[in-house]
Amino acid sequence: MQRFVRRAVADPLWLVACGSFCSQIRIVNDNKLAGDLLMACSSEKPDMKEVDENGQKIDAAFFKEDDLPLLHDGRPRWADQIICVEFKRHETNKDPFDDWDEEQTDANSQARKEARGQIITYAEQVFRVQQRTALFMLLVIGRNFRIVRWDRSGAIVTRALDYVEHPGVLCGFLWRMSLQSDEALGVDPSATRLRPEDADFGEMDEAAKVLDSDLATEERVLTEAEVRAGVQVFKYIREWFRLSLHPAWPRYRVEVPDGDKTRLLLIGRPLFYAHGMAGRGTRGYVALDCSSKRFVWLKDAWRVHYDLVDQEGTILALLNDKHVRNVPTLLCHGDIRNQTTDTPRVWEEKHPPKPLPTTPGPSTSSLPASPLRHHMHYCIVEREVAMPLSEFQHGKQLVSIVLDAIVGMYAPFTDTLNSFLMDYVAHWDAHDNAGIMHRDVSGGNVLIYPRVEYDPDTNDMFIRWTGLLADWEMSKPVWEKEEFLRPRQPPRTGTWQFLSVAMLSSEPGPIEVPDEMESFLHVILYHGLRYLKSNCATVPSLLEGFFDAYNLDENGVYTCGDAKAIAIEFIGEIHVRPGVQLVFDSPLDSIFKKLLPRFKARYKVRRYEKSSLDSSPPRKAPLLTPQDDAPSHSSKPKPKYQKAGRYGLLPRSPSPDPQEAKVNPPNPEERAAATRVSKHDFVAGVLDEALETGDWLLNDKIGDQVPYNYKPQYPLAPGKGAAPSTIKRQKTATTGLIDHCHISCPPVVQPPRSAYAVLTKP
């Protein structure tokens, strides 16, 4: 290496003349600049689609010698990369970062945003495939280079340095990297990579073999042979585990805290993952428990690490201790070896507290609020491996599953349930003050879990599909002590498509029971529209306009789209086109007919009470008018919205007449209606009545009505930072195994960047 540095210093033109990055790769390897690490070209062809569905090709990477085959095929080999390397031409707009501004490293030009978006997706792919705490990336832009360190909070970037003028710096970095341990290079030490010769590798293959005793999933009465067989595995669980053992995907043995012990699990490809580099990075696995030899559900995430934010397992343990039905069963959980993200700490060191102007009294200082969140590596293991809600078989089953989730959710803080609900949940004593608000009701968190139950009337054992309300990470106690009544998370938490109209307003307050009830209604509406028979001929555009649309207020806050606001807040009806209501020709119609007008009444009461407290004009209903596509000559920014079919939803200009803007007081009937949807037992009662008395068809599910290749008709929220065009994946959780997930995507506070973030298959 010293000989290489001396020649580079003596003849800089020789270094420039090395040509393409393939020549530079040979120089690195021939001179052992990275010690035992080997640099290889990775841009000739993409990895298999089972590893990278987008076919990305990073230019090069460093590998361990044992992980690089003698005949390297030029693929990225995402599972084996130690350090990523990307080459760019020596042009200013090819550099993803900017050194001119001390406070703002991100470059703002479109070309730079696209370059930054590209390397973000590379880092994201490594974190998805490997078990990582951090990742180093070497970025070469012509004669300059940067070193980037990624973790789940963000990235630390060095200044650009000319390696022709300073070859020793680059060589020193490469040499020091070769001397680091795997843990120092960002490899998670709690996860052990399994090789084909390992015993656990073979045990995973054995566990994936289909057994004759595996239970079929459909609802039915069990045969005598199935009853005698005892505890069995559902076919779909073993099949998911088998699919996770793809030969191109690495296998691991991971550690999860279990009290004062450690539980070992075997995992392959995740069944679910959340897109995005910064954030929780949640992944879900069907895992094999090394001790019990049973399949379990493993959720691996980087939780938000702040005071007063409880671990999800702590909440779930409380619910389990109180015998709350229809929630996952906790097996173990805990933080993984106190692994935290370092990027926020570096930011805080770079931005120390600044003394305030001198005033009499003790000295004070101010610390700027860090824009980066602290995250800690966390795992939780649950007994149930559930199916996504999209697997429901008919409309009656859909409503039944959602009803299970409702009564399971609110059993923790109610001591009076109607008698018909007592079959679903155990009695709860409200004075224990163990009430929990979920705060992220969504289609991804209401799951299907087949249970084997006993019918005392017929003496039969049978399989019933029940609802399971999962992902309690964002939950909080309903009753908190006064000293803890301060925000622990942003008030708008949840999944955009299923949030209530109130939570999508400019000033959302704390989530309340009626907000959660409205979210459950959106879950039924979304899945009913997408999978069941109805009179809607344009399902994709209606879903897009109702669930993904947004407005942008004068403060730059994303707010509810017009279609959703009109239906829920102002008219209490859902229209498939102007003047035509949505009809399912099933008891679903009675559910919406009973609940939508009452939610409308709730919002009228809210508007009236708000207008009584302040002088600001109340919210007016948008007008349903044909969309005017003519260009505007006004420089004032317009609100964003989506069209629905041939019609658009235009915001109505405020009337200058204060009498017109005045909200009429709600009458007693409207107040009573608003009160009803503020109670979970009323909403649950409406669903239960429809299940018991409705005339349901068991063949009303007609399949997914959103085509696989459907393209959103209208753009949604613009992304900040990296150019959205370079981020080619949806900002949701998904893989090629199933198109929904056991655990929802990280809660969002703005609309998805591309339509159908939760609607399309991967």
Side-chain angles (χ1 to χ4, degrees):
M1 183 181 75
Q2 292 178 351
R3 184 170 61 252
F4 172 83
V5 174
R6 285 197 297 269
R7 181 174 181 183
V9 173
D11 186 8
L13 293 179
W14 168 79
L15 194 58
V16 177
C18 287
S20 67
F21 63 80
C22 291
S23 299
Q24 295 172 337
I25 290 174
R26 287 194 296 270
I27 291 174
V28 170
N29 291 336
D30 292 345
N31 291 274
K32 290 288 185 179
L33 298 184
D36 293 334
L37 295 178
L38 292 179
M39 190 178 184
C41 177
S42 301
S43 61
E44 294 183 12
K45 47 187 173 182
D47 262 342
M48 301 178 68
K49 65 178 182 179
E50 288 80 6
V51 176
D52 181 12
E53 61 192 22
N54 295 285
Q56 301 174 99
K57 296 181 293 184
I58 193 170
D59 290 330
F62 286 94
F63 300 85
K64 290 186 175 181
E65 187 173 1
D66 294 340
D67 292 334
L68 198 64
L70 294 177
L71 297 177
H72 178 51
D73 57 4
R75 296 181 186 271
R77 301 181 65 86
W78 297 107
D80 302 314
Q81 292 187 20
I82 299 298
I83 301 173
C84 303
V85 184
E86 178 70 4
F87 292 90
K88 298 291 184 183
R89 293 195 303 272
H90 190 75
E91 300 174 12
T92 301
N93 64 356
K94 299 298 182 184
D95 190 343
F97 306 102
D98 188 356
D99 291 336
W100 287 99
D101 189 345
E102 286 280 348
E103 301 299 325
Q104 180 64 40
T105 306
D106 287 354
N108 294 319
S109 72
Q110 184 63 24
R112 290 189 170 199
K113 284 185 177 182
E114 292 177 357
R116 188 163 65 254
Q118 182 185 41
I119 64 173
I120 288 174
T121 60
Y122 293 157
E124 180 186 348
Q125 180 65 20
V126 173
F127 270 78
R128 178 179 302 129
V129 177
Q130 300 185 29
Q131 301 296 319
R132 284 275 187 167
T133 60
L135 172 69
F136 286 94
M137 179 181 290
L138 175 62
L139 185 59
V140 182
I141 312 103
R143 289 177 41 152
N144 295 328
F145 77 95
R146 296 180 184 273
I147 300 166
V148 186
R149 183 192 180 277
W150 303 91
D151 63 23
R152 285 298 182 183
S153 289
I156 303 169
V157 187
T158 67
R159 288 183 171 276
L161 191 65
D162 190 323
Y163 62 81
V164 176
E165 295 182 3
H166 307 281
V169 178
L170 177 57
C171 294
F173 163 73
L174 296 178
W175 182 251
R176 285 177 172 82
M177 288 294 98
S178 71
L179 301 178
Q180 301 302 308
S181 65
D182 289 349
E183 182 176 359
L185 292 175
V187 178
D188 183 359
S190 71
T192 302
R193 177 80 177 268
L194 299 178
R195 306 294 178 176
E197 61 271 16
D198 293 327
D200 285 338
F201 195 100
E203 186 171 343
M204 296 177 77
D205 288 334
E206 285 296 318
K209 292 180 179 179
V210 177
L211 300 180
D212 293 338
S213 61
D214 289 348
L215 281 177
T217 311
E218 61 268 13
E219 292 186 314
R220 59 192 171 82
V221 176
L222 297 180
T223 65
E224 292 184 6
E226 290 173 328
V227 173
R228 287 196 301 269
V231 178
Q232 301 169 56
V233 176
F234 283 108
K235 287 184 177 180
Y236 75 90
I237 298 177
R238 197 182 302 276
E239 176 65 8
W240 284 353
F241 184 74
R242 184 188 67 81
L243 291 174
S244 74
L245 304 185
H246 192 278
W249 202 279
R251 303 184 191 183
Y252 289 94
R253 180 177 61 246
V254 297
E255 303 173 2
V256 180
D258 186 4
D260 56 356
K261 300 179 296 183
T262 298
R263 185 175 298 220
L264 300 179
L265 304 174
L266 306 180
I267 59 172
R269 181 186 180 189
L271 189 69
F272 150 87
Y273 56 77
H275 290 301
M277 183 59 223
R280 293 174 178 83
T282 307
R283 293 177 291 182
Y285 299 87
V286 179
L288 182 65
D289 191 324
C290 290
S291 57
S292 68
K293 309 302 179 184
R294 294 184 178 180
F295 296 117
V296 295
W297 181 256
L298 169 65
K299 176 182 175 182
D300 181 303
W302 288 78
R303 69 181 185 91
V304 178
H305 181 44
Y306 290 110
D307 293 338
L308 304 180
V309 178
D310 294 321
Q311 296 174 334
E312 181 181 0
T314 302
I315 298 295
L316 201 53
L318 172 64
L319 299 179
N320 291 165
D321 288 345
K322 299 301 181 181
H323 308 290
V324 177
R325 292 281 303 274
N326 306 329
V327 298
T329 304
L330 177 69
L331 295 179
C332 63
H333 75 109
D335 294 325
I336 307 301
R337 299 194 180 190
N338 291 319
Q339 296 169 354
T340 58
T341 51
D342 284 340
T343 305
R345 176 185 57 78
V346 174
W347 190 94
E348 291 163 0
E349 291 176 356
K350 184 177 174 61
H351 301 78
K354 297 179 181 179
L356 294 173
T358 304
T359 57
S363 61
T364 58
S365 63
S366 64
L367 180 65
S370 172
L372 306 176
R373 281 192 167 191
H374 293 262
H375 291 272
M376 175 169 282
H377 194 190
Y378 174 78
C379 286
I380 180 172
V381 181
E382 299 165 358
R383 177 178 299 162
E384 296 83 3
V385 179
M387 297 185 294
L389 183 58
S390 57
E391 294 295 316
F392 74 92
Q393 300 297 299
H394 45 80
K396 182 177 182 180
Q397 194 177 69
L398 169 64
V399 174
S400 175
I401 290 165
V402 173
L403 176 59
D404 284 349
I406 291 176
V407 296
M409 172 181 180
Y410 287 99
F413 59 93
T414 182
D415 59 352
T416 56
L417 290 174
N418 292 336
S419 60
F420 67 82
L421 295 180
M422 295 306 293
D423 292 334
Y424 293 88
V425 295
H427 174 70
W428 183 257
D429 201 354
H431 71 266
D432 288 340
N433 295 326
I436 302 294
M437 185 74 74
H438 188 277
R439 303 205 313 154
D440 187 17
V441 173
S442 68
N445 290 338
V446 178
L447 307 173
I448 302 171
Y449 186 64
R451 297 184 189 273
V452 176
E453 299 184 350
Y454 172 69
D455 185 350
D457 296 331
T458 62
N459 203 33
D460 289 329
M461 302 290 291
F462 64 96
I463 296 176
R464 185 173 78 89
W465 284 21
T466 62
L468 200 69
L469 188 60
D471 196 351
W472 293 81
E473 181 179 7
M474 303 305 298
S475 63
K476 62 183 294 185
V478 176
W479 299 292
E480 288 185 323
K481 294 182 179 180
E482 186 174 354
E483 59 265 29
F484 295 125
L485 289 178
R486 61 181 185 271
R488 306 185 301 173
Q489 297 276 8
R492 182 188 285 178
T493 59
T495 304
W496 178 273
Q497 287 79 2
F498 302 101
L499 286 173
S500 69
V501 173
M503 292 308 300
L504 294 178
S505 65
S506 298
E507 299 177 354
I511 294 180
E512 300 175 339
V513 171
D515 296 306
E516 302 273 51
M517 293 297 97
E518 185 182 328
S519 292
F520 279 116
L521 189 66
H522 293 317
V523 170
I524 296 176
L525 173 62
Y526 168 74
H527 287 81
L529 264 174
R530 183 164 181 174
Y531 298 102
L532 299 178
K533 295 178 183 177
S534 72
N535 65 336
C536 181
T538 56
V539 170
S541 62
L542 181 57
L543 287 172
E544 183 181 1
F546 191 95
F547 290 98
D548 282 347
Y550 71 97
N551 283 293
L552 198 63
D553 70 9
E554 61 275 8
N555 297 318
V557 176
Y558 293 104
T559 61
C560 186
D562 290 333
K564 192 174 187 177
I566 289 173
I568 305 298
E569 185 175 356
F570 293 105
I571 66 175
E573 298 173 351
I574 297 169
H575 290 176
V576 297
R577 58 183 183 273
V580 179
Q581 290 190 46
L582 172 67
V583 176
F584 289 98
D585 282 330
S586 80
L588 278 175
D589 297 328
S590 66
I591 292 174
F592 292 119
K593 186 175 181 179
K594 291 178 180 179
L595 294 181
L596 286 175
R598 288 175 169 84
F599 281 110
K600 172 188 171 183
R602 180 211 175 199
Y603 283 103
K604 182 174 182 180
V605 172
R606 281 173 52 90
R607 291 196 306 274
Y608 178 75
E609 292 177 348
K610 184 178 186 301
S611 66
S612 302
L613 295 175
D614 58 46
S615 58
S616 60
R619 177 185 171 99
K620 300 294 293 182
L623 287 178
L624 184 64
T625 60
Q627 172 62 39
D628 182 6
D629 290 326
S632 171
H633 300 287
S634 171
S635 60
K636 185 177 180 179
K638 291 186 175 181
K640 312 272 185 187
Y641 49 83
Q642 269 63 53
K643 301 176 184 178
R646 296 173 55 190
Y647 293 87
L649 301 173
L650 296 179
R652 183 178 183 178
S653 301
S655 169
D657 185 358
Q659 294 300 320
E660 182 180 344
K662 184 177 180 181
V663 178
N664 294 325
N667 57 43
E669 291 78 11
E670 290 171 327
R671 287 191 176 276
T675 301
R676 288 192 169 187
V677 291
S678 298
K679 297 181 179 180
H680 62 279
D681 53 350
F682 175 78
V683 177
V686 170
L687 301 188
D688 186 78
E689 182 182 9
L691 289 173
E692 294 299 322
T693 63
D695 186 12
W696 294 89
L697 296 176
L698 302 184
N699 62 347
D700 56 349
K701 186 176 182 181
I702 58 176
D704 193 347
Q705 298 179 78
V706 178
Y708 177 77
N709 59 351
Y710 177 77
K711 295 183 179 179
Q713 301 300 303
Y714 309 99
L716 289 187
K720 299 179 180 179
S725 61
T726 68
I727 304 176
K728 300 179 181 179
R729 292 180 291 279
Q730 307 146 2
K731 287 202 68 178
T732 53
T734 183
T735 70
L737 303 187
I738 56 174
D739 81 343
H740 284 283
C741 53
H742 181 83
I743 301 174
S744 73
C745 59
V748 298
V749 295
Q750 67 180 52
R753 293 180 184 172
S754 60
Y756 286 83
V758 298
L759 306 187
T760 55
K761 297 178 181 178

